[in-house]
Amino acid sequence: MAKPFTLTQLRYFAVVAELENMTAAAQRLMVTQSALSAAMAQLETSLATQLFVRHKSRGLRLTQSGRQFAKDIASFLEQADSLYESARGMSATLVGELKVGVFAPLAPFRLPAILQTFETRHPGVEVSILEADLATLQEALMDGRCDVALTYGLGLGKGFTYKVVERVPPHVLVHEGHPAAARPEREISLKELDGEPSVVLDLPHSREYYEQLYATAGVVQNVRHRFAGYETVRSFVAKGHGYAILNQRLHSDVTYSGGKVVLLALTNNFPPIEVMLVRPQGVQATRRVLAFEETCLTLYGAPRG
């Protein structure tokens, strides 16, 4: 026996659940608010459960049943999209929305070129970007705010599948007046910096990675400043506040503060950070997601050890 609700109602509900605002959802879906309200009322009647608590200001909040229902239908809607795309044929032009998450320090290094190439190849796909820290990206993948994320593999929990895009070793940044900056080989061991003040990129999971490097080298951190911004760290290093350990290599040595930094390779045998394409396990990837992954892997090639 057919169930008394429609795929359209489920798609409407997913947007309303995400925004928790009927007016905003109607605008995104390009339907009238009255039609959307009627569809949600019909869905609640069909399910014999209350999905929202409505407020006089027209705002609304999901009930516990509503939150669970939103989580349950996320993978179903992805499957529906994949079925539709398969029926149209693999040669059909890609259309629709792609929600991409990106680790904030990675965004300026990798995302512009990736997005430019992807949009040239697939102009019919509307890409939205969530720039966030590692922990937030994992949450966004699990609750459907992201279809795929370009991120570090640090602290990656269970329930995800991934592809390694590249492996990036750590390096040291010092200001141009630092004694080590004049070395022709541009190399240094972390032990040589023991006792010197450092400027730390302080983000969830990243901080644990850097702490492990210090522990491996037997060096006690002398932290002078902690910042969540990559360029903030570089700017403070350039002004002589300390050195920093980072992974992504910027093409320019000039910082926002106007000072310059010098990159030194670490002679320690430290593990690199893996840059990954991550998505929820058990959710079939749409053609849009697969096309985005292909673009990333094409631009940055096979991972190196």
Side-chain angles (χ1 to χ4, degrees):
M1 180 178 177
K3 299 298 180 183
F5 54 76
T6 68
L7 182 59
T8 297
Q9 288 174 343
L10 296 183
R11 293 192 187 282
Y12 283 3
F13 169 76
V15 175
V16 175
E18 176 190 348
L19 300 178
E20 291 192 319
N21 185 289
M22 201 70 74
T23 301
Q27 291 173 347
R28 177 185 292 187
L29 292 165
M30 292 186 290
V31 299
T32 64
Q33 187 171 332
S34 59
L36 183 59
S37 297
M40 293 302 92
Q42 291 168 5
L43 181 61
E44 288 181 313
T45 299
S46 299
L47 296 172
T49 189
Q50 185 176 1
L51 300 174
F52 307 103
V53 176
R54 294 162 175 80
H55 300 280
K56 292 181 179 180
S57 60
R58 293 188 178 181
L60 49 85
R61 292 292 180 269
L62 289 171
T63 63
Q64 183 175 353
S65 296
R67 285 193 299 271
Q68 184 61 48
F69 190 58
K71 183 177 180 180
D72 290 343
I73 68 170
S75 60
F76 172 78
L77 292 177
E78 286 287 348
Q79 293 280 0
D81 286 341
S82 297
L83 180 63
Y84 171 72
E85 290 169 355
S86 177
R88 293 184 65 202
M90 290 302 292
S91 62
T93 302
L94 289 181
V95 295
E97 182 184 13
L98 177 65
K99 297 174 288 186
V100 175
V102 60
F103 181 41
L106 269 176
F109 295 94
R110 297 291 181 254
L111 195 57
I114 291 172
L115 202 56
Q116 182 182 38
T117 302
F118 181 81
E119 290 181 338
T120 299
R121 293 177 177 178
H122 309 288
V125 178
E126 180 183 348
V127 182
S128 61
I129 304 296
L130 172 63
E131 185 179 359
D133 61 45
L134 298 173
T136 301
L137 288 177
Q138 290 190 39
E139 294 173 2
L141 286 166
M142 294 304 290
D143 64 25
R145 284 178 290 150
C146 289
D147 302 315
V148 61
L150 181 68
T151 181
Y152 286 167
L154 302 175
L156 189 64
K158 295 181 180 179
F160 298 98
T161 184
Y162 62 87
K163 295 177 182 177
V164 177
V165 177
E166 60 180 333
R167 294 185 174 94
V168 187
H171 60 263
V172 164
L173 284 187
V174 296
H175 65 92
E176 60 181 343
H178 191 282
R183 295 181 180 182
E185 69 277 13
R186 294 289 176 91
E187 292 182 340
I188 198 169
S189 71
L190 190 54
K191 195 70 175 178
E192 294 179 73
L193 296 167
D194 198 357
E196 291 193 27
S198 65
V199 184
V200 176
L201 181 63
D202 193 23
L203 293 169
H205 302 303
S206 294
R207 72 173 69 95
E208 288 82 4
Y209 167 77
Y210 294 126
E211 287 171 357
Q212 184 59 46
L213 300 187
Y214 281 97
T216 300
V219 175
V220 178
Q221 282 184 285
N222 178 19
V223 179
R224 185 172 184 183
H225 298 293
R226 295 180 181 271
F227 299 109
Y230 185 91
E231 281 295 348
T232 307
V233 170
R234 280 172 31 91
S235 291
F236 270 73
V237 169
K239 290 300 184 181
H241 290 262
Y243 69 93
I245 302 179
L246 297 171
N247 288 75
Q248 293 297 322
R249 300 188 176 204
L250 196 64
H251 297 300
S252 174
D253 58 359
V254 179
T255 67
Y256 287 178
S257 65
K260 292 184 178 181
V261 292
V262 175
L263 187 150
L264 303 174
L266 278 163
T267 58
N268 308 76
N269 187 26
F270 287 142
I273 283 181
E274 292 184 322
V275 180
M276 297 178 172
L277 289 160
V278 181
R279 47 188 167 88
Q281 195 171 42
V283 176
Q284 184 175 345
T286 65
R287 288 176 57 216
R288 295 184 295 276
V289 168
L290 295 177
F292 182 81
E293 291 181 348
E294 180 185 10
T295 298
C296 293
L297 293 169
T298 299
L299 284 176
Y300 296 106
R304 292 173 293 178

